[in-house]
Amino acid sequence: MDLYPLVRPVLRFIEPERAHRLTILGLKLGLAPRDVAPNPSSLDIDLWGLHFPNPLGIAAGFDKNGEVPDAMLKLGFGFAEVGTVTPRAQPGNPRPRIFRLAEERAVINRLGFNNEGHAALKRRLLARRARPGVVGVNIGANKDAADRVADYETGIAAFEGLASYFTVNISSPNTPGLRALQNKAELETLVARVMKARKGRTPILLKIAPDLTEEELADIAEVAREQGLDGLIVSNTTIRREGLVSGANAKETGGLSGQPLFALSTEVLRTMYRLTDGKIPIVGVGGVSSGADAYAKIRAGASLVQLYTALTYDGPALVSRIKRELALLLAADGIEHLRDAVGLDAR
């Protein structure tokens, strides 16, 4: 039974970070519904030696400490990504640091990689090791790290054998100086060291910002091709504020997610698909709240799609609805399988 319609009016009046904590607690207690409907046969996909029963994933940031990945898979997601996690626990930025923009179905956050650290996440992943499902780990660097690249190397070492894949997050706008790692020279060093730190074949993906120039995107594509990155996640939150009309909250600093990010992140996705000649799988994220949004990401070049912000507005029923809508859109276009739709609008 989906209790979200009953609790949503209450959650709206609770401070966003507290409401999120209550949501995680409810998931841990098993209060979320389970999607028992079979996934449409047109939606499964195999990438990096992993099987995804559908292309829809919960994005990093929702479950920073890996408390509820299995609950998210039961909701109907095809995969879950936990983190961002840093080597040492850190509190993040001062509160308040999450701001709702309900009219735009958006959120601004400046959390700053608040998390319990590697040790706590590792304990939880060890406890679920025998369970099925794709669970990726999004790794970051501590705010006060003397060598941020070393923090990413530490993340690879900590979770190899436990993570289905790694996401190297260098695109959060809420850790000062972090986005500088996207510059070509710094990125070449980072990727080389991270790839060397990997002892097995766990896929390594790079999560990038939507606020980059085409020249910067071309540099990232070149590094990704030359150094053999397994995939890209496009994109993180944006620092832009065009078109927001929700009063004071629109002026808050931090990363903007949700509906206003959709067009920008999808255009960056389309550009990266072209720059990589469609040869590096891309996860599309940013403003997805419907099957049509997911389909647009796929046609722009995404093989997988993630969401987070829309879930806070629409609740868990959104997951099964997006899958149904996506399957119907593929069928309406005479496309038998989603892999045949990847990049159709970017070629």
Side-chain angles (χ1 to χ4, degrees):
M1 179 180 178
D2 184 3
L3 299 177
Y4 188 77
L6 300 177
V7 302
R8 180 182 177 183
V10 177
L11 291 175
R12 285 178 55 198
F13 292 100
I14 299 175
E15 186 269 329
E17 196 161 351
R18 187 181 296 266
H20 180 76
R21 190 62 224 161
L22 289 172
T23 300
I24 295 290
L25 179 60
L27 288 164
K28 290 176 74 172
L29 293 173
L31 300 181
R34 181 169 186 161
D35 183 6
V36 297
N39 288 290
S41 59
S42 59
L43 298 188
D44 71 311
I45 190 165
D46 294 320
L47 289 171
W48 312 301
L50 302 170
H51 178 70
F52 297 81
N54 70 73
L56 196 63
I58 180 68
F62 178 84
D63 186 12
K64 287 178 176 291
N65 298 305
E67 297 175 88
V68 291
D70 294 292
M72 302 313 290
L73 296 173
K74 289 175 182 177
L75 283 183
F77 282 106
F79 65 109
E81 187 171 313
V82 300
T84 299
V85 61
T86 56
R88 290 173 285 106
Q90 60 181 25
N93 293 321
R95 298 190 185 194
R97 51 193 183 180
I98 303 178
F99 306 90
R100 299 186 187 106
L101 293 83
E103 291 181 23
E104 283 82 19
R105 291 172 53 84
V107 167
I108 291 172
N109 92 80
R110 53 172 179 263
L111 288 163
F113 286 174
N114 59 307
N115 73 103
E116 296 174 2
H118 284 180
L121 177 57
K122 189 169 185 176
R123 285 194 301 270
R124 295 187 179 109
L125 293 181
L126 281 167
R128 72 160 306 276
R129 194 171 193 174
R131 298 173 195 164
V134 175
V135 177
V137 175
N138 185 302
I139 55 176
N142 280 111
K143 182 177 181 179
D144 61 353
D147 181 351
R148 284 181 170 166
V149 176
D151 278 11
Y152 290 99
E153 294 173 309
T154 301
I156 298 291
F159 300 107
E160 196 159 20
L162 296 172
S164 300
Y165 67 87
F166 290 108
T167 297
V168 176
N169 185 358
I170 55 171
S171 50
S172 169
N174 300 318
T175 297
L178 186 74
R179 285 189 168 191
L181 290 172
Q182 295 173 115
N183 298 334
K184 189 175 182 182
E186 288 84 352
L187 184 61
E188 286 175 332
T189 299
L190 168 72
V191 174
R193 286 175 60 178
V194 166
M195 298 294 279
K196 186 176 181 181
R198 178 180 65 176
K199 304 306 179 186
R201 292 300 306 160
T202 306
I204 296 178
L205 286 62
L206 182 73
K207 188 167 187 175
I208 67 171
D211 307 310
L212 300 165
T213 66
E214 183 139 1
E215 182 180 358
E216 290 169 325
L217 293 174
D219 286 342
I220 291 171
E222 182 180 340
V223 173
R225 288 194 308 267
E226 290 182 350
Q227 302 215 29
L229 273 172
D230 296 287
L232 297 166
I233 298 186
V234 184
S235 67
N236 213 316
T237 57
T238 180
I239 57 175
R240 300 186 190 184
R241 295 291 184 269
E242 290 88 343
L244 296 183
V245 292
S246 283
N249 280 355
K251 300 176 183 178
E252 294 289 346
T253 59
L256 171 70
S257 63
Q259 205 164 67
L261 178 58
F262 178 78
L264 173 62
S265 61
T266 306
E267 183 54 39
V268 175
L269 164 61
R270 186 179 294 108
T271 298
M272 289 306 292
Y273 182 84
R274 290 178 182 144
L275 289 170
T276 57
D277 298 320
K279 294 178 180 178
I280 298 177
I282 298 175
V283 181
V285 56
V288 173
S289 61
S290 68
D293 292 339
Y295 191 39
K297 295 281 189 189
I298 290 165
R299 291 183 65 103
S303 296
L304 300 169
V305 176
Q306 290 178 326
L307 62 84
Y308 173 3
T309 300
L311 200 65
T312 68
Y313 288 106
D314 293 336
L318 176 66
V319 181
S320 56
R321 176 166 63 83
I322 287 179
K323 291 189 294 184
R324 289 195 304 270
E325 292 172 353
L326 179 55
L328 289 171
L329 288 165
L330 287 167
D333 283 346
I335 299 172
E336 293 186 2
H337 198 276
L338 76 85
R339 63 175 169 265
D340 300 318
V342 175
L344 279 179
D345 293 341
R347 296 172 188 169

